[in-house]
Amino acid sequence: MKNIGIFLNTMKENSYSYGNYIIDKLFDIDVNTFTTEEINAKLKNEKVRVDDQYLFEKCDCIIVLGGDGTILTAVRKCSYHQIPVIGINFGKIGFLTEVEEKDIDSTLERLLCNDFTLEKRMMLELKLDESSDVNYLALNDIVVSRGPDSRIITMDTYVNGQLIEEYRADGLILSTPTGSTAYSLAAGGPIVEPDNNVIVLTPICPHSLHNNRSIIINGSNQVEVIVVGKGDETSVASVDGQIFINIEINKKLTIKKSPIKAHLIKFKKNEFFDILRHKLSHQK
Amino acid sequence: MKNIGIFLNTMKENSYSYGNYIIDKLFDIDVNTFTTEEINAKLKNEKVRVDDQYLFEKCDCIIVLGGDGTILTAVRKCSYHQIPVIGINFGKIGFLTEVEEKDIDSTLERLLCNDFTLEKRMMLELKLDESSDVNYLALNDIVVSRGPDSRIITMDTYVNGQLIEEYRADGLILSTPTGSTAYSLAAGGPIVEPDNNVIVLTPICPHSLHNNRSIIINGSNQVEVIVVGKGDETSVASVDGQIFINIEINKKLTIKKSPIKAHLIKFKKNEFFDILRHKLSHQK
Amino acid sequence: MKNIGIFLNTMKENSYSYGNYIIDKLFDIDVNTFTTEEINAKLKNEKVRVDDQYLFEKCDCIIVLGGDGTILTAVRKCSYHQIPVIGINFGKIGFLTEVEEKDIDSTLERLLCNDFTLEKRMMLELKLDESSDVNYLALNDIVVSRGPDSRIITMDTYVNGQLIEEYRADGLILSTPTGSTAYSLAAGGPIVEPDNNVIVLTPICPHSLHNNRSIIINGSNQVEVIVVGKGDETSVASVDGQIFINIEINKKLTIKKSPIKAHLIKFKKNEFFDILRHKLSHQK
Amino acid sequence: MKNIGIFLNTMKENSYSYGNYIIDKLFDIDVNTFTTEEINAKLKNEKVRVDDQYLFEKCDCIIVLGGDGTILTAVRKCSYHQIPVIGINFGKIGFLTEVEEKDIDSTLERLLCNDFTLEKRMMLELKLDESSDVNYLALNDIVVSRGPDSRIITMDTYVNGQLIEEYRADGLILSTPTGSTAYSLAAGGPIVEPDNNVIVLTPICPHSLHNNRSIIINGSNQVEVIVVGKGDETSVASVDGQIFINIEINKKLTIKKSPIKAHLIKFKKNEFFDILRHKLSHQK
């Protein structure tokens, strides 16, 4: 690896010094580092190159300093180029971060000698309109939900054109296996081992008891959601809880597995259930 | 009864003719009827008196034509004067409506000869600020929830000053027994027989599994909720899903049983579980 | 206090030395202690009087060395005489135990100078047959469930004679507020503050989604359960998970609040939610 | 098709005449029918051949008259020979039955001219002991649960040797996608589209909130369950809720996808969600 991206959440000041530490260390051994202008406004490091495009499109890998949220952002930004991402965790234990602060040196070492595996994770793609060619990519989830001023919305939901349910609910979560431990879990959904080819559909506070359960859809199927109404309802789609898009009533949204995968750098093996147990039994 | 209020949802045109039928019939036997200007703009009936204040403050009872939502509105509007309310159901079976369209004649008869019982239902009162003397009254529920642009909020929740939980969730529902079959049920809460002196606290999509259950609080206790944060979070309190109030971060909301009760006119006895079974097994 | 009972779980050997410590200490200051023959077969202490009847019927209080299960047993055994009980916890934090091992000395001191409050907790009484006058008393719960050789049973369930539901399920839990954090919680039920006058009805694995929620019954009401069938079904009632009784098909069981209360000795105040938070976030 | 099996539940007398109708009709057109001795003791039909072995090992297909339970039995009995099965529904709508009573004639017609598709459904295989070569096959689920005389058991649960959880619960359900709408649903599990390659693991009344969710395991993985204890616990494995096997404490059970599939005859396409909606919203 000769070109490594550095990404962090500029709100978290405690990661700045680690960012600079990595940049300096890589500079000394002639590895180029890249970051965004916004980030370097915080780091103020002259040894890093400020080049957003190179960072998200051409790097050999991106080192993310932060929690699962920061990784979600990084993955989405580089998703079309499927650049490998490794997360160094600052804060609570996460599902997507791979190592801890104290492992920075060994992490760099292993990265530089390509001593890792790549785990490819399913991403979902959201299309707001059949004719449009704008897609949104999510590593965790696409959520369709009521706007701020209405209490309940009706969502006619189909899989490959066949009606699943006419949900009356606060919203509907379409989650990847990766996202099953995030918002979908909070809404009552099951936990899914990451390597399954499924989409988890979880209604949020559905009005009826009889459809108050998650549905596991085959990941090769396409889900369609239409928020139906008279036109005065408001409705929002959110992507990984980070991008919010107002959506039109009575228009068909399609959500399906993207051909693009997230590429996560992994040092350990089979640790999903270890993290799960630790995380769920120590939650606050 | 000499003075009867007529209340309906002006969006539901199918109730207009029934409103006029009642007004005409009562006029013929010298019973005064009262309604709002907004409603009579639809009914266009010269035999009804347009007098909002008399309607919500002095009538002997209010006949509501509509569903549970319309009754919630009527009850809140007349709550300080605790005027008896009877709901004639238009639409799906409800928990608060007492009779059906076809029973209009017998309903009027029984009302006029005082052949009914009054069921007094707990209401909750919300105070936004200790120093303020503005209260909001709810027959179903007070809901504290995240604003439209944030995904999760932290709500430190106390009962009589003792910490219950620091919920990280989409929101928190504080429900009366009456409201237990409404939004609280959708969010996973239990069903509560109406005559219990309890407040049901149900978190909405809590981040942790360990506090992902409703808590039944003694109705004589006071619940306090503080949405804590750095100040950029937005948060909303809603009253019966009908009134929405922006709330300030780091300020203590208090919710407790109101000394005021809703007065519901009842013809039948002990039918709570019959309605419950019917309603839950026929939901769409 | 001149006469103190000593009760412990004879399976837990680590409590023996503490039992002897208490007996010896009380003997030195001329306080009588009482225990059962079974327990003293383990303690082998000559300073304690072996007198089951005195222990459960006449003592001033009973000191229980053990966890919640041991307290449930002690409370049931002395329930008709409503003898105050204090639990010294050996093992995981419990809802019913009041102090820890290390607090033994201060506990004895406070007991001897009556420096405590009594918390009276609701108990349920189960009658297997209207004509019978044998009752079973439970501090946590009465559970009606399928026998070992059938998968599902039908339980027609009434409150004061009014049908609630015809549950098709593995069983039905009728819990006190105290029991709400035990088996009922595992089956999906809500948490109830101990001082509420309610009975929690929670179905176990109900066949239908529409009745898959707990119901909070007014504690002054009587619940009736009939396991209906052709006669070849088997069904069991259990009392606090400790007493198991085969029950007859098509016979009406009645469960209601007992006039008898459990008397728990309390040193601390208002600690329910502190224990709850600690317990639920540290469960294994 | 020249050789068709006839299978029915001998407890359901209303299916006898239909059984005879089919046998007679097929006899007239020179198609052989086969059934068991037990069944023909009820049908008393001389035109059917009583030959259990032929029925479950060599027929071209088996027509099952009955509900989902009867189909589960038939499928298990013929599973090693993967004989196609078609269910004619007597009673409530089912997930496994394909046609209704009234469709008998058209069903025979379509069978005889091979006008159908075969849907292959995942089955699970249970091994009680690594050295044993006795397997149990299930179309719906394998359930490990406490015996009748204990309240809770501890189940150390692994996937491919990696610890998932040490469940303390009433039991653990391992379900195929087909079984996800049966017992697993009652215990809180999600609904799984039939064609997914997953195993659903759902704890029954787990003691802790933090593991109170289903886990979706990749169907190519092997699950291992050890009921751990001191030896006095009792524990039972059940297969499709129909076969019950006492299991030994501290011995490893393995559950994995069988190479054998159930072969269901299908006339319709993509009707899973139609049945689901109908079934869940009409449950009693």
Side-chain angles (χ1 to χ4, degrees):
Chain A
M1 293 208 176
K2 291 304 289 174
N3 298 293
I4 292 183
I6 306 294
F7 191 77
L8 53 78
N9 180 345
T10 53
M11 306 289 284
K12 303 212 170 156
E13 300 186 15
N14 63 334
S15 64
Y16 297 174
S17 61
Y18 290 91
N20 277 319
Y21 177 82
I22 293 171
I23 290 164
D24 294 347
K25 192 146 187 186
L26 292 176
F27 184 85
D28 288 348
I29 55 170
D30 286 331
V31 176
N32 305 314
T33 54
F34 297 83
T35 195
T36 68
E37 196 174 334
E38 187 197 354
I39 291 171
N40 208 34
K42 302 294 184 180
L43 300 189
K44 301 183 193 356
N45 194 322
E46 297 187 344
K47 297 171 184 164
V48 69
R49 303 191 191 174
V50 171
D51 185 336
D52 287 34
Q53 197 185 347
Y54 202 99
L55 169 65
F56 295 122
E57 296 182 9
K58 296 185 191 155
C59 274
D60 298 320
C61 84
I62 298 175
I63 298 176
V64 179
L65 305 167
D68 283 0
T70 316
I71 295 186
L72 288 174
T73 309
V75 165
R76 267 203 329 282
K77 280 181 183 284
C78 72
S79 58
Y80 285 100
H81 302 86
Q82 306 191 38
I83 297 173
V85 167
I86 179 147
I88 302 179
N89 187 39
F90 285 77
K92 287 175 282 184
I93 189 176
F95 282 101
L96 295 174
T97 51
E98 181 67 10
V99 296
E100 301 297 316
E101 288 175 30
K102 60 174 174 46
D103 306 318
I104 283 192
D105 287 329
S106 63
T107 297
L108 293 179
E109 231 168 87
R110 296 188 66 169
L111 282 180
L112 292 171
C113 54
N114 286 309
D115 176 19
F116 56 82
T117 56
L118 273 188
E119 192 171 310
K120 297 182 185 174
R121 294 281 181 94
M122 181 206 289
M123 298 185 80
L124 288 176
E125 92 185 19
L126 163 69
K127 221 181 209 179
L128 297 177
D129 191 326
E130 276 165 294
S131 60
S132 157
D133 44 37
V134 182
N135 283 345
Y136 294 87
L137 284 182
L139 175 54
N140 265 356
D141 47 40
I142 306 286
V143 180
V144 179
S145 61
R146 60 176 178 83
D149 42 358
S150 52
R151 187 158 179 171
I152 208 169
I153 52 176
T154 300
M155 290 162 290
D156 290 358
T157 306
Y158 302 83
V159 56
N160 294 347
Q162 192 200 0
L163 180 67
I164 303 176
E165 271 288 354
E166 296 158 359
Y167 288 105
R168 288 182 45 70
D170 275 7
L172 197 58
I173 302 165
L174 291 139
S175 160
T176 63
T178 300
S180 72
T181 52
Y183 194 34
S184 176
L185 190 69
I191 290 151
V192 182
E193 264 197 307
D195 64 346
N196 280 295
N197 178 34
V198 301
I199 300 171
V200 183
L201 187 157
T202 303
I204 305 170
C205 298
H207 193 66
S208 289
L209 296 183
H210 84 266
N211 56 26
N212 201 331
R213 285 289 165 84
S214 292
I215 298 180
I216 308 297
I217 307 280
N218 190 308
S220 307
N221 290 338
Q222 171 175 300
V223 180
E224 296 123 22
V225 180
I226 305 173
V227 181
V228 296
K230 294 178 193 150
D232 55 343
E233 297 83 357
T234 61
S235 176
V236 174
S238 70
V239 178
D240 285 343
Q242 299 186 335
I243 299 176
F244 294 82
I245 311 146
N246 288 322
I247 58 179
E248 282 182 58
I249 299 300
N250 298 320
K251 203 156 223 175
K252 197 200 294 180
L253 310 176
T254 58
I255 297 105
K256 62 180 177 189
K257 179 170 63 175
S258 172
I260 292 166
K261 307 280 181 205
H263 289 213
L264 302 182
I265 288 175
K266 288 279 163 190
F267 294 149
K268 302 168 204 151
K269 263 190 146 177
N270 299 328
E271 50 160 16
F272 175 69
F273 288 113
D274 294 337
I275 296 175
L276 183 71
R277 273 199 320 283
H278 185 87
K279 183 96 184 154
L280 297 187
S281 62
H282 287 76
Q283 265 175 338
K284 294 243 170 158
Chain B
M1 294 206 174
K2 291 305 290 176
N3 298 294
I4 293 183
I6 306 295
F7 192 77
L8 52 77
N9 180 345
T10 54
M11 306 289 283
K12 302 213 169 155
E13 300 185 14
N14 62 335
S15 65
Y16 297 174
S17 61
Y18 290 91
N20 277 319
Y21 176 81
I22 293 171
I23 290 164
D24 294 348
K25 193 146 184 183
L26 291 177
F27 185 84
D28 288 347
I29 56 170
D30 286 331
V31 176
N32 304 315
T33 54
F34 297 83
T35 196
T36 68
E37 196 172 335
E38 188 197 355
I39 291 170
N40 208 35
K42 302 296 184 178
L43 299 189
K44 302 185 194 354
N45 193 323
E46 298 186 345
K47 296 173 184 165
V48 69
R49 303 189 192 177
V50 172
D51 185 338
D52 286 35
Q53 196 186 347
Y54 202 100
L55 170 64
F56 294 123
E57 297 182 8
K58 296 185 190 154
C59 275
D60 298 320
C61 84
I62 298 176
I63 298 175
V64 179
L65 305 166
D68 283 0
T70 317
I71 295 186
L72 287 174
T73 309
V75 164
R76 268 204 328 281
K77 280 180 183 284
C78 71
S79 57
Y80 286 100
H81 302 85
Q82 305 192 37
I83 297 174
V85 166
I86 178 147
I88 301 178
N89 186 41
F90 285 76
K92 287 175 282 183
I93 190 175
F95 282 101
L96 294 175
T97 51
E98 180 66 11
V99 295
E100 301 297 316
E101 286 175 32
K102 63 174 173 46
D103 305 316
I104 283 191
D105 287 327
S106 62
T107 297
L108 293 179
E109 233 168 85
R110 294 188 69 168
L111 282 181
L112 292 171
C113 53
N114 287 308
D115 176 18
F116 56 79
T117 56
L118 274 188
E119 194 170 310
K120 296 180 184 175
R121 294 281 180 96
M122 182 206 289
M123 297 184 81
L124 288 176
E125 91 185 20
L126 164 69
K127 222 180 210 182
L128 295 178
D129 192 327
E130 275 165 294
S131 59
S132 156
D133 43 38
V134 182
N135 285 342
Y136 294 88
L137 285 182
L139 175 53
N140 265 355
D141 47 38
I142 306 286
V143 180
V144 178
S145 61
R146 62 176 177 83
D149 41 358
S150 52
R151 188 158 179 171
I152 208 169
I153 50 176
T154 301
M155 291 162 289
D156 290 357
T157 306
Y158 302 82
V159 56
N160 295 347
Q162 192 199 1
L163 181 66
I164 303 177
E165 270 288 354
E166 296 159 358
Y167 288 106
R168 289 184 42 73
D170 276 6
L172 195 58
I173 303 166
L174 292 140
S175 160
T176 63
T178 300
S180 72
T181 52
Y183 194 34
S184 175
L185 190 70
I191 290 151
V192 182
E193 263 197 308
D195 63 346
N196 281 296
N197 178 35
V198 300
I199 300 171
V200 183
L201 188 157
T202 303
I204 305 171
C205 299
H207 193 66
S208 289
L209 295 184
H210 84 266
N211 56 24
N212 200 331
R213 283 291 164 83
S214 292
I215 297 180
I216 309 296
I217 308 281
N218 190 308
S220 307
N221 291 339
Q222 172 175 302
V223 179
E224 296 122 24
V225 179
I226 304 174
V227 182
V228 297
K230 294 179 196 150
D232 55 342
E233 297 83 355
T234 60
S235 175
V236 174
S238 70
V239 178
D240 286 344
Q242 299 186 334
I243 298 175
F244 296 82
I245 310 147
N246 289 322
I247 58 181
E248 282 182 60
I249 299 301
N250 298 321
K251 203 155 225 176
K252 196 200 294 179
L253 309 176
T254 57
I255 297 105
K256 62 181 175 190
K257 180 170 63 175
S258 172
I260 291 165
K261 307 279 180 204
H263 288 212
L264 302 181
I265 288 174
K266 289 280 164 187
F267 294 149
K268 301 168 205 152
K269 268 189 142 175
N270 299 329
E271 50 160 16
F272 176 69
F273 288 112
D274 293 339
I275 296 175
L276 183 71
R277 275 200 317 284
H278 186 87
K279 184 94 183 156
L280 297 187
S281 62
H282 287 78
Q283 267 174 336
K284 294 245 171 157
Chain C
M1 294 208 175
K2 291 305 290 176
N3 299 292
I4 293 184
I6 306 295
F7 191 77
L8 52 77
N9 181 345
T10 56
M11 306 290 283
K12 303 214 167 154
E13 302 186 14
N14 62 335
S15 64
Y16 297 173
S17 61
Y18 291 90
N20 278 319
Y21 175 80
I22 293 171
I23 290 164
D24 294 348
K25 192 145 187 187
L26 291 177
F27 185 83
D28 290 346
I29 55 169
D30 286 330
V31 176
N32 303 314
T33 55
F34 298 82
T35 196
T36 68
E37 197 173 335
E38 189 197 354
I39 290 170
N40 208 33
K42 302 294 185 180
L43 300 189
K44 301 184 196 348
N45 194 323
E46 296 187 345
K47 297 174 184 162
V48 71
R49 304 190 191 175
V50 171
D51 184 336
D52 287 34
Q53 199 186 343
Y54 202 99
L55 171 63
F56 293 124
E57 297 182 8
K58 295 185 190 154
C59 274
D60 298 322
C61 84
I62 298 175
I63 298 175
V64 179
L65 304 166
D68 283 0
T70 316
I71 294 187
L72 288 174
T73 309
V75 165
R76 268 203 328 280
K77 280 180 185 284
C78 72
S79 58
Y80 285 101
H81 302 84
Q82 306 190 39
I83 297 175
V85 166
I86 178 146
I88 302 179
N89 186 39
F90 285 76
K92 284 174 285 182
I93 188 176
F95 283 100
L96 296 174
T97 50
E98 180 67 11
V99 295
E100 301 297 316
E101 286 175 33
K102 61 174 174 47
D103 306 316
I104 283 192
D105 288 328
S106 61
T107 298
L108 293 178
E109 230 168 87
R110 296 188 67 167
L111 282 180
L112 292 171
C113 53
N114 287 309
D115 177 18
F116 55 81
T117 55
L118 274 187
E119 193 170 311
K120 297 181 183 173
R121 293 281 182 97
M122 184 206 289
M123 298 185 80
L124 288 176
E125 93 186 18
L126 164 68
K127 223 181 209 180
L128 296 176
D129 191 326
E130 274 164 295
S131 60
S132 157
D133 43 39
V134 182
N135 284 344
Y136 294 88
L137 285 182
L139 175 54
N140 264 356
D141 48 38
I142 306 285
V143 180
V144 179
S145 62
R146 62 178 180 81
D149 43 357
S150 52
R151 187 159 179 172
I152 208 169
I153 51 176
T154 301
M155 291 162 291
D156 291 357
T157 305
Y158 302 82
V159 56
N160 295 347
Q162 192 199 2
L163 181 66
I164 302 177
E165 269 290 353
E166 297 159 358
Y167 287 106
R168 290 184 44 71
D170 276 7
L172 196 58
I173 303 166
L174 291 139
S175 160
T176 62
T178 300
S180 72
T181 51
Y183 194 33
S184 175
L185 190 69
I191 290 151
V192 183
E193 262 198 308
D195 64 346
N196 281 296
N197 178 35
V198 301
I199 300 171
V200 182
L201 188 158
T202 304
I204 306 170
C205 298
H207 193 65
S208 288
L209 296 186
H210 84 265
N211 56 24
N212 201 330
R213 285 289 165 85
S214 293
I215 297 180
I216 309 296
I217 308 280
N218 191 309
S220 306
N221 291 339
Q222 171 175 298
V223 179
E224 297 122 22
V225 180
I226 304 173
V227 182
V228 297
K230 292 177 194 152
D232 55 342
E233 297 83 357
T234 61
S235 175
V236 174
S238 70
V239 178
D240 284 344
Q242 300 187 334
I243 299 176
F244 294 83
I245 310 146
N246 289 321
I247 58 180
E248 283 182 60
I249 298 301
N250 299 320
K251 205 156 223 176
K252 197 201 293 179
L253 310 175
T254 58
I255 296 104
K256 61 179 176 192
K257 179 170 63 174
S258 172
I260 291 165
K261 307 279 178 205
H263 289 211
L264 303 181
I265 288 174
K266 288 280 163 187
F267 295 149
K268 301 168 205 151
K269 267 188 141 177
N270 298 328
E271 51 162 15
F272 176 69
F273 288 112
D274 293 338
I275 296 175
L276 183 71
R277 273 199 320 281
H278 186 87
K279 185 95 182 155
L280 297 187
S281 62
H282 287 77
Q283 268 176 337
K284 293 241 169 159
Chain D
M1 294 208 174
K2 291 306 289 175
N3 300 293
I4 293 183
I6 306 294
F7 192 76
L8 52 78
N9 180 344
T10 55
M11 306 289 283
K12 303 216 168 153
E13 301 186 14
N14 63 334
S15 65
Y16 297 174
S17 61
Y18 289 91
N20 276 319
Y21 175 81
I22 293 171
I23 290 164
D24 294 349
K25 192 143 185 187
L26 291 176
F27 185 86
D28 289 347
I29 56 169
D30 286 331
V31 176
N32 303 314
T33 55
F34 298 83
T35 196
T36 68
E37 198 173 335
E38 188 197 354
I39 291 170
N40 208 34
K42 301 295 185 179
L43 299 188
K44 301 184 192 354
N45 194 322
E46 297 187 343
K47 297 171 184 164
V48 70
R49 303 190 191 176
V50 171
D51 186 335
D52 286 34
Q53 198 186 344
Y54 202 100
L55 171 64
F56 294 122
E57 297 181 7
K58 295 184 188 155
C59 273
D60 298 321
C61 83
I62 298 176
I63 299 175
V64 179
L65 306 166
D68 283 359
T70 316
I71 294 185
L72 287 174
T73 309
V75 165
R76 270 204 325 282
K77 281 180 183 283
C78 72
S79 57
Y80 286 99
H81 301 85
Q82 304 190 39
I83 297 174
V85 167
I86 178 148
I88 302 178
N89 186 41
F90 284 77
K92 285 175 284 182
I93 188 175
F95 281 101
L96 295 174
T97 51
E98 180 68 9
V99 296
E100 302 297 315
E101 286 174 32
K102 60 176 175 47
D103 305 315
I104 284 192
D105 288 328
S106 63
T107 297
L108 293 178
E109 231 167 87
R110 295 187 67 168
L111 282 180
L112 293 170
C113 53
N114 288 310
D115 177 17
F116 55 81
T117 56
L118 273 187
E119 193 172 311
K120 297 180 183 174
R121 294 281 181 97
M122 182 206 287
M123 297 185 79
L124 289 175
E125 94 187 17
L126 164 69
K127 223 181 207 179
L128 296 177
D129 191 327
E130 274 165 296
S131 61
S132 156
D133 44 39
V134 182
N135 284 343
Y136 294 87
L137 284 182
L139 175 52
N140 265 355
D141 48 39
I142 307 285
V143 180
V144 179
S145 61
R146 63 177 177 83
D149 43 358
S150 53
R151 189 161 177 169
I152 208 167
I153 51 176
T154 300
M155 291 163 291
D156 290 357
T157 306
Y158 302 82
V159 56
N160 294 347
Q162 192 200 2
L163 180 66
I164 303 177
E165 269 290 352
E166 298 159 358
Y167 287 106
R168 291 183 42 71
D170 276 6
L172 196 58
I173 303 165
L174 292 140
S175 161
T176 62
T178 300
S180 72
T181 52
Y183 194 33
S184 175
L185 190 69
I191 290 151
V192 183
E193 263 198 309
D195 64 346
N196 281 296
N197 178 35
V198 299
I199 301 172
V200 183
L201 187 157
T202 304
I204 306 171
C205 298
H207 193 66
S208 289
L209 295 185
H210 83 264
N211 57 24
N212 200 331
R213 285 291 164 83
S214 293
I215 297 180
I216 308 297
I217 308 282
N218 191 309
S220 306
N221 291 339
Q222 172 175 301
V223 179
E224 298 122 21
V225 181
I226 304 173
V227 182
V228 298
K230 294 177 194 151
D232 56 343
E233 297 83 357
T234 61
S235 174
V236 174
S238 71
V239 179
D240 284 345
Q242 299 186 335
I243 298 175
F244 294 82
I245 310 145
N246 289 321
I247 58 180
E248 283 182 60
I249 299 300
N250 299 321
K251 204 155 222 175
K252 196 200 293 179
L253 310 176
T254 58
I255 296 107
K256 63 180 176 191
K257 179 170 65 174
S258 172
I260 291 165
K261 307 279 180 206
H263 289 212
L264 303 182
I265 289 174
K266 288 280 163 189
F267 293 150
K268 301 168 207 153
K269 267 190 144 176
N270 298 329
E271 50 161 14
F272 175 69
F273 288 112
D274 293 338
I275 296 175
L276 183 72
R277 273 198 320 282
H278 186 87
K279 186 96 181 154
L280 297 188
S281 62
H282 288 75
Q283 268 175 336
K284 295 244 167 160

